[in-house]
Amino acid sequence: MKTSCLTLAMLFIASGATFAQSSNSNSVNQSGTLQTATVTQKGILNTSDVTQSNYLNNATIKQINYNSNLNNTSTVVQSGKENSAIVNQTSSSTQNASALGTLESKVTQSGNSNIAQQDQGPSDKQGKSSAAITQSGNNNKATQQQLAYGNAATIDQSGSSNEASQYQDVNLPNNSEGTYNSATIIQSKDKNKATQTQNGWSNNAFIMQSGNMNNAVQTQTGKLNIANISQAGDKNNAVQTQLGWGNVANVLDQSGDLNEALQIQTGEMNNQSAIASGDNNHLVQNQSGSNNIATADQSGSSNTATQTQNSWKSKAAVNQSGSNGFSTQVQFGGLNSASVVQSSKEDVAIQSQVGSASSTSSEFVNVAEITQKGVGSNYAEQIQCINGSSVPNTAIIKQDGELNRAYQSQDGGNNYSMISQAGWGHAANVIQTNE
């Protein structure tokens, strides 16, 4: 008898202890027809809330805590027909578990046949992340995946057949830490697609698209990078890739149709900015090194601009208005500065500056400038190359009219050349060498 009483007492104490630690909470409120909600909770301090209306909506929530004092919070609200929401939250941190927790998750869908999936964890460096998805319309798809801690992701889609994906610290390099990244996608109208991938910490990515069949891709690896894309119209495409820290890339306003912008940054403290209005404009900006600045402004149709910079403190600016303009800028070493302004049709401007001076004197400055205004079909090309010199080079071309041709090539330092042509059909060639 004593053994039996002791056994019962131990079972009671064990069951009481388990009950005190579980603290799972779940609320499901469904109205309509043929709704399905499945909630799986393991660990302590899990909370889930599911509300569904209309019919044939499905919600699946899985919450797991492997350590004490870690929270999972999930809220799913679906109205409409045949919407699907999948939430997986796994907290397995082994680092100061009492200070971490609260993964959070929120899905709100209205309309029909929308799909939302959120995956948070598992990671041994995760806590206090947040993810939110809001979709209205039909056949939209949103995916969010978060590892590490302190990441925030938001997706808001309205319209039909839009697709948005966000990945935060999913593919971190070995022995790297990720934290406090922020990603936002806002899409309206139909068949837009946006993808954001962040690996590192304190990166910020923002995409806003309105129109149809637009595409935006952002990839950030490193820290303190900022990327912004804003597109309006149809079939526009923008791609931003950042590797390093403190880089800023902006596609501020691509409005119109069939515009393309590609921005690549490798290094630190680089800055890129692009504004395009009109149709079928193309832009490529590629920066490596540090403290490079590239700015492009294209208005009209079928303009093309390419900018390549590779340190030191280079600056490049392109401003094209009209149609069928073409501009290329290539800068490598030195304190280079290049600017192109074209305001007409079918103008071509090419600039190339290469420096490999043995001295890093502040006097080592290449300057190239092209300005073409008038009727159009003007051609201007400048090439500057310095090898073993630290003195400035300057090349300037100004043309106004039609069918003018200007070519300049400077090899070595301490050269200065300026070509100015007005009218039509002029041709000028300048070649200077100073060893």
Side-chain angles (χ1 to χ4, degrees):
M1 177 64 68
K2 291 182 180 180
T3 303
S4 298
C5 291
L6 180 60
T7 302
L8 289 174
M10 293 178 64
L11 290 173
F12 179 79
I13 293 172
S15 63
T18 302
F19 178 80
Q21 289 182 355
S22 61
S23 301
N24 295 314
S25 176
N26 182 55
S27 175
V28 176
N29 183 6
Q30 296 185 138
S31 62
T33 306
L34 298 174
Q35 315 285 4
T36 302
T38 303
V39 179
T40 302
Q41 294 175 317
K42 179 180 179 181
I44 67 172
L45 300 177
N46 296 312
T47 301
S48 178
D49 185 14
V50 177
T51 301
Q52 294 179 318
S53 61
N54 216 317
Y55 73 90
L56 284 175
N57 294 302
N58 178 67
T60 302
I61 296 93
K62 183 178 181 180
Q63 296 174 314
I64 298 176
N65 277 329
Y66 288 107
N67 297 307
S68 61
N69 298 324
L70 297 178
N71 304 325
N72 293 321
T73 301
S74 176
T75 299
V76 176
V77 177
Q78 295 188 135
S79 61
K81 305 174 182 178
E82 299 180 344
N83 294 301
S84 176
I86 300 173
V87 178
N88 294 311
Q89 294 177 313
T90 304
S91 183
S92 61
S93 177
T94 59
Q95 296 188 350
N96 193 13
S98 62
L100 299 177
T102 311
L103 298 181
E104 294 187 356
S105 177
K106 181 180 180 181
V107 175
T108 301
Q109 296 188 137
S110 61
N112 305 321
S113 301
N114 296 301
I115 299 174
Q117 179 165 349
Q118 296 173 316
D119 295 304
Q120 295 178 310
S123 173
D124 64 350
K125 300 176 181 179
Q126 183 157 6
K128 298 182 180 179
S129 289
S130 178
I133 294 175
T134 302
Q135 296 188 130
S136 61
N138 303 319
N139 298 303
N140 295 302
K141 183 178 180 180
T143 302
Q144 294 173 320
Q145 187 173 358
Q146 295 176 315
L147 291 179
Y149 57 92
N151 293 311
T154 301
I155 295 175
D156 188 345
Q157 296 188 128
S158 60
S160 299
S161 300
N162 295 301
E163 184 174 346
S165 301
Q166 294 172 322
Y167 307 98
Q168 294 178 311
D169 292 329
V170 176
N171 296 310
L172 276 173
N174 292 332
N175 300 321
S176 297
E177 292 187 6
T179 179
Y180 299 118
N181 295 301
S182 176
T184 302
I185 295 174
I186 301 174
Q187 297 188 129
S188 60
K189 294 191 177 180
D190 303 332
K191 295 183 179 180
N192 296 300
K193 184 176 181 180
T195 303
Q196 294 172 321
T197 302
Q198 296 175 313
N199 291 300
W201 58 276
S202 295
N203 296 302
N204 191 305
F206 178 85
I207 294 174
M208 177 180 287
Q209 297 188 130
S210 61
N212 303 308
M213 301 180 72
N214 295 300
N215 180 64
V217 178
Q218 293 173 323
T219 303
Q220 295 176 313
T221 302
K223 59 184 179 180
L224 299 170
N225 296 302
I226 298 174
N228 296 300
I229 294 175
S230 178
Q231 297 187 130
D234 299 334
K235 298 182 179 179
N236 295 302
N237 183 46
V239 178
Q240 294 173 323
T241 301
Q242 295 175 314
L243 176 63
W245 63 272
N247 297 303
V248 178
N250 292 309
V251 178
L252 297 176
D253 184 9
Q254 275 201 146
S255 59
D257 303 330
L258 296 169
N259 295 302
E260 292 187 357
L262 172 61
Q263 294 177 320
I264 301 173
Q265 293 176 317
T266 303
E268 57 195 47
M269 304 298 291
N270 294 303
N271 193 311
Q272 294 174 333
S273 180
I275 300 175
S277 60
D279 301 329
N280 200 36
N281 294 301
H282 301 272
L283 171 67
V284 177
Q285 293 175 320
N286 191 343
Q287 293 176 322
S288 62
S290 61
N291 297 307
N292 292 303
I293 298 175
T295 300
D297 183 0
Q298 297 178 318
S299 60
S301 301
S302 300
N303 294 302
T304 300
T306 302
Q307 295 173 313
T308 302
Q309 295 179 322
N310 182 6
S311 217
W312 326 319
K313 296 182 180 179
S314 297
K315 296 181 181 180
V318 174
N319 181 13
Q320 296 177 322
S321 61
S323 60
N324 296 303
F326 180 87
S327 174
T328 298
Q329 294 174 317
V330 178
Q331 295 180 322
F332 292 109
L335 303 175
N336 298 313
S337 178
S339 178
V340 174
V341 177
Q342 296 178 319
S343 300
S344 58
K345 297 180 179 180
E346 299 180 353
D347 286 331
V348 176
I350 299 174
Q351 293 178 321
S352 177
Q353 294 179 324
V354 178
S356 60
S358 59
S359 173
T360 59
S361 171
S362 60
E363 294 181 353
F364 178 33
V365 180
N366 289 322
V367 177
E369 179 181 352
I370 295 176
T371 301
Q372 295 178 324
K373 294 183 179 181
V375 178
S377 298
N378 295 302
Y379 179 91
E381 181 175 356
Q382 296 174 320
I383 298 174
Q384 292 182 321
C385 179
I386 293 181
N387 187 7
S389 177
S390 61
V391 292
N393 269 0
T394 300
I396 299 174
I397 295 176
K398 294 183 180 292
Q399 296 187 134
D400 190 0
E402 184 178 7
L403 296 173
N404 295 302
R405 297 289 182 270
Y407 175 82
Q408 293 188 131
S409 175
Q410 294 178 319
D411 185 8
N414 202 28
N415 292 308
Y416 177 89
S417 178
M418 179 176 179
I419 296 175
S420 179
Q421 298 184 139
W424 66 276
H426 299 300
N429 294 321
V430 176
I431 298 175
Q432 293 178 322
T433 300
N434 184 358
E435 300 179 357

